[in-house]
Structure formats: C-alpha cells, structure tokens
Amino acid sequence: IDFLAMEFLDGETLSAHLKTQGKMAEARALEIARQLCAGLAEVHRSGVIHRDLKSANVILCPDANGSVRAVITDFGLAGINTDASVLAGTPRYIAPEIWQGEPASKASDIYALGVILYDMTKGLDADIPVSKEDPLQTVTSPPDVLTKGLSKRWARTIVRCLDPSPSARPL
C-alpha cells in the first residue's frame, strides 16, 4: 500500500495573516524573509523549481517561544525539468519570462519571492505597478515608486527580485 505522510502544520497561511493583520513590521518581515530565502535556497540546491511560490503557500507556524517558523508548502507544480509550453502558477506571482513562453527557473521562483516580500512590506492589497499596455509582462514603475516608504534594505531586495530580466535577479 502506498501512502503519503506529512508534518501537521499548525498555523495560518501568510496570505491569511496579511489579509487580517495587514503589512508586517520590518523586523518580523525580515525574520520570515530569511526563512523563506533559506527554504527556497535548499529547494533550488536540490535542483527543484517550485513554480507556484506565493503567500498562500507559506504557512506561519508559531513556536512555543513566540517566534514564527515559515514553511514553504504545495509542491504540486514543482519539478526538476520544467516545460516552457506549460503555463502554471498564480498569475500575480508569475515572472514576466514565463508569460513570454520561457521555462520556469530559479529566477522565476525569485520573482515570486519578490512579490511575497512586497506583500509583507506593503500589504496584500497593494498592487504591484505593472505596464498598462501589458500588465502580465513586467513591472514598469521606477524603483523609488515601487518601494516608496520602505527602508533601503527592503527596497534594494524587492527591486532586484522583481527585475524583468531573470539574469538580474539574485540567485
């Protein structure tokens, strides 16, 4: 008999948290961002591309000491070999190159991470400014407009993650 066993995650999604609590304080967002980066780095080190990284696929599990453990979930679209002919994922988190028919990559996961960071620091209701001519293709706002009100650390990170060019994103 085949079966699948998983850890029970007692917590709420990052998406649900942001809907009820709004944007996060910088220190809390940084704690969660570090964990997400470490988790995504391990996924990529294993040769896997998530393909559907989003705030609804991150569970925030409170620890007994009051800290939070962020867990990346839902690897249903993940894989080692990605097919450019398959468009999969959640539109808001899909990198521009995916819309143009390129295969998913580490860089496209980094783009999705950038959207999550934006969600945490600006609030889930904050729209990422995109091209009015082709809203699914690219972020067109200058970095200072995109990151208005954020510290320089967050601004640099988010702008790099959301860069329209995959080669310009941090890996």
Side-chain angles (χ1 to χ4, degrees):
I1 297 174
D2 293 330
F3 64 93
L4 178 65
M6 299 174 14
E7 173 186 10
F8 174 73
L9 298 173
D10 189 15
E12 66 180 339
T13 65
L14 176 57
S15 176
H17 180 82
L18 293 171
K19 284 178 185 170
T20 60
Q21 304 295 316
K23 68 181 182 178
M24 294 183 164
E26 187 170 323
R28 182 172 175 127
L30 183 58
E31 174 188 343
I32 291 168
R34 283 183 181 142
Q35 294 177 43
L36 293 176
C37 289
L40 192 57
E42 190 58 37
V43 168
H44 289 167
R45 211 175 350 267
S46 300
V48 174
I49 307 300
H50 191 285
R51 296 184 67 179
D52 195 22
L53 187 62
K54 59 185 175 183
S55 57
N57 287 341
V58 174
I59 307 290
L60 302 178
C61 302
D63 286 338
N65 64 5
S67 64
V68 170
R69 181 172 62 110
V71 181
I72 299 171
T73 65
D74 193 356
F75 284 79
L77 296 177
I80 295 172
N81 297 322
T82 57
D83 184 353
S85 66
V86 177
L87 179 61
T90 303
R92 183 167 190 262
Y93 298 85
I94 295 176
E97 65 272 16
I98 303 296
W99 291 110
Q100 296 168 357
E102 297 295 320
S105 65
K106 292 177 184 179
S108 57
D109 278 353
I110 297 298
Y111 182 90
L113 175 66
V115 177
I116 292 172
L117 299 179
Y118 189 84
D119 290 347
M120 289 192 307
T121 56
K122 297 290 259 186
L124 197 57
D125 294 333
D127 286 328
I128 296 174
V130 294
S131 167
K132 291 188 184 342
E133 296 79 38
D134 196 351
L136 299 177
Q137 294 291 330
T138 186
V139 175
T140 58
S141 292
D144 58 334
V145 172
L146 179 68
T147 59
K148 185 177 181 181
L150 296 178
S151 72
K152 288 182 182 183
R153 170 193 278 179
W154 280 108
R156 276 192 314 268
T157 302
I158 291 171
V159 166
R160 286 190 63 210
C161 289
L162 295 178
D163 195 294
S165 171
S167 63
R169 297 181 203 135
L171 295 179

Coordinates of all heavy atoms in Angstrom, one line a residue, residues 51-54 56-57 77 88-95 99:
R51 N 7.7 26.7 -8.8 CA 6.7 27.1 -9.9 C 5.4 27.7 -9.4 O 4.6 28.2 -10.2 CB 6.4 25.9 -10.8 CG 7.6 25.5 -11.6 CD 7.3 24.4 -12.5 NE 6.5 25.0 -13.6 CZ 6.0 24.3 -14.6 NH1 6.3 23.0 -14.7 NH2 5.3 24.9 -15.5
D52 N 5.1 27.6 -8.1 CA 3.9 28.2 -7.6 C 4.1 28.8 -6.2 O 3.2 28.7 -5.3 CB 2.7 27.1 -7.5 CG 1.4 27.8 -7.4 OD1 1.2 29.0 -7.7 OD2 0.4 27.1 -6.9
L53 N 5.2 29.4 -6.0 CA 5.5 30.1 -4.8 C 4.6 31.3 -4.6 O 4.6 32.2 -5.5 CB 7.0 30.5 -4.7 CG 7.5 31.0 -3.4 CD1 7.4 30.0 -2.3 CD2 9.0 31.5 -3.6
K54 N 3.9 31.4 -3.5 CA 3.0 32.5 -3.3 C 2.7 32.6 -1.8 O 3.0 31.6 -1.0 CB 1.7 32.4 -4.1 CG 1.0 31.2 -3.8 CD -0.2 31.1 -4.7 CE -1.0 29.7 -4.5 NZ -2.1 29.6 -5.5
A56 N 0.0 32.3 -0.2 CA -0.9 31.3 0.2 C -0.3 29.9 0.4 O -0.9 29.0 0.9 CB -2.1 31.2 -0.8
N57 N 1.0 29.8 -0.1 CA 1.7 28.5 0.0 C 2.8 28.6 1.0 O 3.7 27.8 1.0 CB 2.2 28.1 -1.3 CG 1.2 27.6 -2.3 OD1 0.1 27.2 -1.8 ND2 1.5 27.5 -3.6
L77 N 3.2 21.7 -8.3 CA 3.7 22.1 -9.6 C 5.2 22.0 -9.7 O 5.7 22.3 -10.8 CB 3.2 23.5 -10.0 CG 1.7 23.7 -10.1 CD1 1.4 25.2 -10.4 CD2 1.1 22.8 -11.2
A88 N 1.8 27.5 -15.7 CA 1.2 27.1 -14.5 C 1.6 28.1 -13.4 O 2.6 28.7 -13.4 CB 1.7 25.7 -14.1
G89 N 0.8 28.1 -12.3 CA 1.0 29.0 -11.2 C -0.1 30.0 -11.0 O -1.1 30.0 -11.7
T90 N 0.1 31.0 -10.2 CA -0.8 32.0 -9.8 C -0.4 33.3 -10.5 O 0.7 33.7 -10.3 CB -0.9 32.2 -8.3 OG1 -1.2 30.9 -7.7 CG2 -2.0 33.2 -7.9
P91 N -1.3 33.9 -11.4 CA -0.9 35.0 -12.3 C -0.1 36.1 -11.6 O 1.0 36.5 -12.2 CB -2.2 35.5 -12.8 CG -3.0 34.3 -12.9 CD -2.7 33.5 -11.6
R92 N -0.5 36.5 -10.4 CA 0.2 37.7 -9.8 C 1.7 37.3 -9.5 O 2.5 38.2 -9.4 CB -0.5 38.0 -8.5 CG 0.1 39.2 -7.8 CD -0.9 39.7 -6.7 NE -0.4 41.0 -6.2 CZ 0.2 41.1 -5.0 NH1 0.5 40.0 -4.3 NH2 0.6 42.3 -4.6
Y93 N 2.0 36.1 -9.3 CA 3.4 35.6 -8.9 C 4.2 35.1 -10.1 O 5.3 34.7 -9.9 CB 3.2 34.6 -7.8 CG 2.6 35.1 -6.6 CD1 1.2 35.1 -6.4 CD2 3.3 35.6 -5.5 CE1 0.6 35.6 -5.3 CE2 2.7 36.1 -4.4 CZ 1.3 36.1 -4.3 OH 0.7 36.6 -3.1
I94 N 3.6 35.1 -11.3 CA 4.3 34.5 -12.4 C 5.3 35.6 -13.0 O 4.9 36.7 -13.3 CB 3.3 34.0 -13.5 CG1 2.5 32.8 -12.9 CG2 4.1 33.6 -14.7 CD1 1.4 32.3 -13.8
A95 N 6.5 35.1 -13.2 CA 7.6 36.0 -13.7 C 7.3 36.4 -15.2 O 6.7 35.6 -15.9 CB 8.9 35.4 -13.6
W99 N 5.4 34.3 -18.9 CA 4.4 34.8 -19.7 C 4.8 34.8 -21.2 O 4.0 34.7 -22.1 CB 3.9 36.2 -19.3 CG 3.1 36.2 -18.0 CD1 3.6 36.7 -16.8 CD2 1.8 35.7 -17.8 NE1 2.6 36.5 -15.9 CE2 1.6 35.9 -16.4 CE3 0.9 35.0 -18.5 CZ2 0.3 35.5 -15.8 CZ3 -0.3 34.6 -18.0 CH2 -0.6 34.9 -16.6

